Amino acid sequence: CKGFNGLDKVLLRHPRGSSAEVYLYGGHVTSWKNERREELLFLSSKATLKPPKAIRGGIPICFPQFGSHGTLDQHGFARNRFWIIDNDPHPFPTNTWNKAFVDLILKPSEGDMKIWPHRVALGPGGELMLTSRIRNTNTDGKPFSFTFAYHTYFSVSDISEVRVEGLETLDYLDNLQKKERFTEQGDALTFESEVDKIYLSTPTKIAILDHEKKRTFELRKDGLPDAVVWNPWEKKAKAMADFGDDEYKHMLCVEAAAIEMPITLKPGEEWKGRLELSTVPSSYCSGQ
Ligand code: TA6
């Protein structure tokens, strides 16, 4: 890792694994490349890389609040802050022993007792794993409730030729229809217009198929029962200053999240969220 703390650009490579690499900026994953150095995450050409504006792309972390319902700014403060590298991390489970990793911590303010450790790991096959551990450190006996999402921007060749498998027949809240609850149809998701849906009680694994690249992203998650699917499409894309007018064609957000049922911790209790991303070749033929 270059750089001493999250303020610098940090490069993560696996010493014995594939030549895949991950870049972090300010503690946020902004780039994940496979062994052929193909970029797998979307980062807008207009993204601003300085707090308090959130980075438009990569994997911003929405914590301690997802969305705008709550007392904080949209999506909470974690994504608007620089994180620092933790050189003396609380031991994470050893199941990451075969991965290169960097440990980060987020302190809401200087000297704050609350610290939230977060590990970014890169496996020998180029798989990317994020683990966050949230503990209630309150000494006044008060519970701590939060909602959370890894707001992952996947890079896709052409949104009109992408399918998402794993969310069929599930209930979802539609952000475009006053968060009303609906039930998804029985086929894989395809995309012809703006979408902003929070799928509820989703499976551990979700697949995102990119027809042109013949590549499937596999998203696996723990501790995160919901999944958000978002593409702003043309009109909203034009309205975002940090997003290119046509960039909606080349991205899709599929976000491992805990939203419908906020996570509530008693003092001393800890929650762990985990996201693992990998890619596999896919034989998806569009129009099937
Ligand atoms: O994840 C979907 C969403 O909640 C959308 O409603 C849209 O607002 C998107 O996040 C981006 O939010 P941002 O605050 O980063 O512009």
Side-chain angles (χ1 to χ4, degrees), residues 220-288:
R220 287 179 172 78
K221 55 191 176 67
D222 292 310
L224 295 157
D226 306 324
V228 184
V229 177
W230 177 60
N231 184 296
W233 220 258
E234 189 170 6
K235 187 160 166 260
K236 287 263 175 74
K238 286 194 164 74
M240 290 191 284
D242 61 345
F243 194 92
D245 289 356
D246 277 352
E247 288 185 330
Y248 72 93
K249 295 175 181 168
H250 307 296
M251 57 69 70
L252 180 66
C253 282
V254 180
E255 307 159 31
I259 301 170
E260 186 191 23
M261 314 290 281
I263 294 160
T264 299
L265 302 174
K266 297 191 188 78
E269 277 187 334
E270 180 175 271
W271 168 83
K272 189 158 75 84
R274 193 178 72 89
L275 169 66
E276 181 150 343
L277 302 177
S278 54
T279 58
V280 293
S282 68
S283 53
Y284 155 42
C285 304
S286 73
Q288 255 180 350

Side-chain angles (χ1 to χ4, degrees), residues 171-175 179-181 196-200:
D171 279 7
Y172 63 87
L173 307 176
D174 191 339
N175 266 333
K179 288 193 178 17
E180 260 191 69
R181 193 180 183 116
D196 190 351
K197 298 179 177 177
I198 303 172
Y199 288 86
L200 308 174

Side-chain angles (χ1 to χ4, degrees), residues 56 66 74-75 79 151 153 175 196 228 230 255:
R56 181 66 65 196
F66 177 85
Q74 158 100 330
H75 291 333
R79 65 174 188 162
H151 198 296
Y153 286 76
N175 266 333
D196 190 351
V228 184
W230 177 60
E255 307 159 31

Side-chain angles (χ1 to χ4, degrees), residues 47-69:
T48 58
L49 294 176
K50 55 182 181 300
K53 178 77 187 129
I55 295 172
R56 181 66 65 196
I59 310 180
I61 294 176
C62 302
F63 172 77
Q65 172 190 301
F66 177 85
S68 50
H69 39 278

